[in-house]
Amino acid sequence: MALRKLAGPKTQVTREEIAREFDIMYGTQVRARLIAMTNPQEAEKVRKDAAAHAADPEYFGRLAKEHSVDAPSAAAKGVIQPILRHGTYPEIEKAAFSMKDGEVSPVIKVPKSEQYVILRKDGEIAARNAKLDELMARKLEEIIRDRKIRAEAGKFFQGLYEEKKGKIEDVWNNPARHKELPDVAALIDGRPIPMPEFIRPASIGTAMKCWKA
């Protein structure tokens, strides 16, 4: 796609990124339960209670229902989606992968949040039977590059908005709107920008000249 030229080096994919993506998609995952609280002192009390009954996952589940401020997991007795490597919160990831099955974690402060969490490791989901060969690397490279292109497209549309001071709707990165308008990249002041027109320019400067009229 010519849009890759538009984004330039920003869409280049490194070997490290490919290895990371492989680890996320095919690597080991941790099954865990979680209690989220807002008071660190109260969280420590609950943690000690949970640790004293660490062998019983249902006991931890009851504590989650009673104390956790995270409503979805509290309703599921603390059960959360499997924890992957390279996730949003390295502190939680590090604790989850370093714990033994049935172990209760220390109280973990969630960065940029007022929450403190306690984990119980229920077990692990083994890594999937996949090999990072040349074919797999190409597949993952395409996934990563497409993600980067979409991110750059969003920035590009924002740049157009600031340049034109008009209404820009990013259709491509909106799943619902993209389904309605599959051949449209964006709407600029209500005018559709077809996908072929969007991906044709070789540079952002050229593209902006196309749409300033």
Side-chain angles (χ1 to χ4, degrees):
M1 291 173 61
L3 179 54
R4 294 175 185 174
K5 295 181 180 179
L6 182 151
K10 295 179 181 179
T11 62
Q12 294 299 311
V13 179
T14 67
R15 292 182 179 180
E16 290 76 15
E17 288 173 319
I18 291 173
R20 174 189 173 103
E21 193 75 16
F22 181 82
D23 209 10
I24 292 171
M25 295 181 66
Y26 300 99
T28 303
Q29 303 175 25
V30 171
R31 293 186 296 105
R33 296 173 189 252
L34 173 145
I35 300 172
M37 302 180 68
T38 56
N39 184 301
Q41 290 75 32
E42 291 299 316
E44 180 58 28
K45 291 179 183 179
V46 172
R47 187 205 69 78
K48 289 180 179 179
D49 191 4
H53 302 84
D56 184 1
E58 290 302 314
Y59 190 89
F60 191 97
R62 289 192 292 272
L63 289 177
K65 290 193 72 171
E66 181 179 353
H67 298 285
S68 184
V69 297
D70 182 61
S73 62
K77 297 183 178 181
V79 175
I80 58 175
Q81 290 293 320
I83 298 173
L84 311 176
R85 294 191 185 277
H86 315 295
T88 306
Y89 301 112
E91 296 83 359
I92 293 177
E93 175 191 319
K94 181 178 178 180
F97 280 93
S98 64
M99 293 159 60
K100 298 177 181 178
D101 291 359
E103 186 178 350
V104 174
S105 75
V107 175
I108 304 168
K109 174 69 169 67
V110 179
K112 300 179 181 180
S113 167
E114 298 301 319
Q115 288 192 359
Y116 299 82
V117 302
I118 307 157
L119 296 177
R120 181 191 187 276
K121 184 171 182 176
D122 287 354
E124 291 189 351
I125 301 173
R128 294 166 61 183
N129 185 21
K131 182 180 180 182
L132 185 52
D133 54 18
E134 184 177 350
L135 183 62
M136 175 65 74
R138 285 202 298 268
K139 172 186 173 182
L140 297 178
E141 181 181 12
E142 195 66 26
I143 290 172
I144 298 166
R145 182 176 288 112
D146 182 69
R147 186 188 303 143
K148 289 186 174 187
I149 290 173
R150 288 178 179 275
E152 290 303 314
K155 294 176 184 177
F156 177 69
F157 292 136
Q158 181 62 31
L160 280 178
Y161 172 79
E162 293 173 357
E163 178 75 18
K164 291 174 62 64
K165 302 301 182 184
K167 183 180 180 182
I168 310 293
E169 181 182 356
D170 182 354
V171 175
W172 190 25
N173 286 307
N174 184 324
R177 293 291 279 153
H178 183 62
K179 187 175 181 180
E180 295 173 5
L181 303 167
D183 297 322
V184 174
L187 296 174
I188 300 180
D189 291 330
R191 180 168 70 91
I193 303 301
M195 190 69 73
E197 182 179 345
F198 178 67
I199 65 176
R200 188 179 302 128
S203 69
I204 289 179
T206 303
M208 293 186 70
K209 288 179 182 176
C210 291
W211 297 328
K212 281 182 179 179

